[in-house]
Amino acid sequence: MLDKIKQLIAEIESFVAATPEEVEQFRIRHLSKKGSIAALFDDFRNVPAEQKKDIGKALNDLKTVALAKVNELKESLCNTETGKTGIDLTLPGDVRKLGSRHPLSIVKNEILAIFNKLGFTISEGPEIEDDWHNFSALNFPEEHPARDMQDTFFLEKNPDIVLHTHTSSVQVRDMETHELPIRLVTPGRVFRNEAISARAHCIFHQIEALYIDENVSFADLKQTLTYFAKELFGPDTQIRLRPSYFPFTEPSAEMDVSCSLCHGEGCNVCKGTGWLEILGCGMVDPNVLELNGIDKNKYTGFALGMGIERITMLKYGIKDLRLFFENDIRFLEQFTTAI
Ligand code: DAH
């Protein structure tokens, strides 16, 4: 039997195959349940006890050699050119469709990257807030009509708890938890009780920036805004600041950028004005610094806040805000980006 095994090993080792079918036949001949090796294992029962050790080892070797041979043949045939394998290895692979980022994420990431370059780090805060963080600590007096500027969702059982109406609430948390100087940028989802339309939604996204240090001036704010606008909308972009009112900044302003579509000539997106309103900003009101335990005689700061939906609509010429929330693939797959 030992001779038979040795002979079979030699036969197997010298075997060559030209096609995958021949490999398969070879495998069946030797390695299937009814193959030559299985038959030898059957005969093993009748081997005298004193030979069992040698023959057992030889049988195992035989099986190992046969398995290795099959694998080797399969591999070498698959790596040869078409015809032998029946597979055209020069064909392109199956294209896998990658998902794309949501346009709001794309613009959010762009904005955050611009502020990161200016040394602002990201901070995030809770969406469910108390009255203090959303209003009082930001200098919104009790019963003041300024609270009506933001159609707030209150918790029915506890009107002290709200869904935050702006990312400015995170400024308060930042002032509580961060050492000065503070230079932070805050993306977040905010909520207002508004009827849903092409231009408004009850959920939308904002980005807030806050900078507090000694000697921060309005000139610093203006330069930051100019840099930001040029980075986001292109180097030719102009900005203009219009006086405005927010309870937490003094003075306050709204910033317009020159319309990136008509370059100031007037079109239907900028409603013929040549300007697009982008964000609110101002110097942090000394009352806010005081309310948050910061020495208003030593420190000054600026803050700004913007809606991501609005900027994304302007950047991509999107006319209906509801498209952002419907998640229709035909809409979403039009946006591709590196970040
Ligand atoms: N929180 C304001 C809003 O939601 C936006 C805003 C305006 C944020 C001026 C600011 C700011 O930080 O300085 O309408």
Side-chain angles (χ1 to χ4, degrees):
M1 188 162 171
L2 212 48
D3 288 344
K4 220 173 163 182
I5 294 172
K6 280 186 183 152
Q7 200 188 331
L8 207 48
I9 289 182
E11 200 183 300
I12 288 173
E13 276 179 339
S14 60
F15 178 77
V16 283
T19 64
E21 293 74 41
E22 283 177 22
V23 180
E24 183 57 11
Q25 281 161 13
F26 172 82
R27 190 192 64 78
I28 293 169
R29 189 156 69 243
H30 297 296
L31 284 162
S32 66
K33 274 192 191 146
K34 293 192 175 146
S36 62
I37 296 175
L40 285 170
F41 269 96
D42 277 348
D43 289 349
F44 185 69
R45 263 183 266 127
N46 309 322
V47 168
E50 66 276 12
Q51 292 178 25
K52 268 200 161 36
K53 194 174 162 214
D54 287 345
I55 293 188
K57 185 178 171 311
L59 265 178
N60 282 331
D61 288 348
L62 169 65
K63 195 170 175 187
T64 311
V65 168
L67 283 169
K69 187 73 181 182
V70 170
N71 285 340
E72 176 198 312
L73 287 170
K74 274 191 186 162
E75 224 167 80
S76 70
L77 282 175
C78 283
N79 287 336
T80 54
E81 74 283 13
T82 329
K84 283 189 181 160
T85 60
I87 302 166
D88 182 353
L89 297 170
T90 63
L91 282 175
D94 291 339
V95 178
R96 295 212 177 180
K97 256 186 145 183
L98 279 183
S100 54
R101 276 202 202 286
H102 194 284
L104 293 177
S105 300
I106 296 174
V107 172
K108 177 185 81 174
N109 290 344
E110 271 181 44
I111 295 172
L112 293 178
I114 297 169
F115 279 98
N116 284 165
K117 276 198 265 178
L118 291 171
F120 287 73
T121 48
I122 295 173
S123 85
E124 283 177 309
E127 294 180 340
I128 302 171
E129 264 304 2
D130 49 28
D131 180 277
W132 172 257
H133 290 88
N134 199 73
F135 291 123
S136 299
L138 289 166
N139 199 35
F140 283 79
E142 287 284 333
E143 312 296 337
H144 191 279
R147 291 187 186 220
D148 293 343
M149 278 162 67
Q150 321 217 339
D151 300 299
T152 312
F153 283 117
F154 293 94
L155 201 73
E156 219 168 355
K157 288 203 176 121
N158 181 356
D160 187 49
I161 306 294
V162 303
L163 295 181
H164 73 161
T165 57
H166 52 180
T167 43
S168 305
S169 64
V170 186
Q171 285 188 24
V172 179
R173 299 212 165 257
D174 291 338
M175 288 187 268
E176 279 169 0
T177 51
H178 283 73
E179 296 284 316
L180 293 165
I182 288 173
R183 207 182 307 169
L184 294 166
V185 64
T186 304
R189 192 167 59 152
V190 301
F191 308 85
R192 289 189 198 175
N193 191 1
E194 295 213 30
I196 296 171
S197 72
R199 297 175 57 86
H201 208 288
C202 53
I203 301 176
F204 56 100
H205 299 79
Q206 288 187 332
I207 291 187
E208 188 92 6
L210 176 68
Y211 180 26
I212 303 176
D213 200 350
E214 288 177 44
N215 302 319
V216 176
S217 69
F218 201 91
D220 295 320
L221 169 61
K222 197 172 165 202
Q223 186 53 36
T224 303
L225 293 171
T226 307
Y227 176 79
F228 168 69
K230 287 180 186 288
E231 285 284 301
L232 191 63
F233 292 104
D236 299 333
T237 308
Q238 304 289 313
I239 69 161
R240 80 176 179 187
L241 295 172
R242 282 177 291 104
S244 185
Y245 170 76
F246 300 101
F248 36 89
T249 42
E250 182 58 37
S252 305
E254 264 162 306
M255 178 180 93
D256 299 339
V257 293
S258 52
C259 179
S260 51
L261 296 174
C262 66
H263 304 286
E265 279 170 25
C267 65
N268 64 353
V269 174
C270 61
K271 300 201 187 74
T273 63
W275 295 95
L276 301 165
E277 184 189 321
I278 296 294
L279 55 76
C281 60
M283 300 307 291
V284 179
D285 192 308
N287 283 346
V288 172
L289 295 175
E290 201 167 31
L291 282 165
N292 290 282
I294 294 174
D295 183 350
K296 64 178 180 186
N297 297 315
K298 188 166 172 205
Y299 290 99
T300 48
F302 68 68
L304 58 101
M306 66 194 101
I308 306 179
E309 276 78 0
R310 177 164 168 77
I311 293 181
T312 309
M313 288 170 86
L314 294 173
K315 257 187 95 103
Y316 289 106
I318 297 165
K319 298 236 159 57
D320 193 324
L321 189 137
R322 289 168 290 197
L323 285 165
F324 292 130
F325 300 98
E326 282 165 3
N327 286 336
D328 185 329
I329 301 265
R330 291 167 300 176
F331 171 70
L332 295 177
E333 69 188 359
Q334 297 177 56
F335 303 90
T336 50
T337 178
I339 45 173

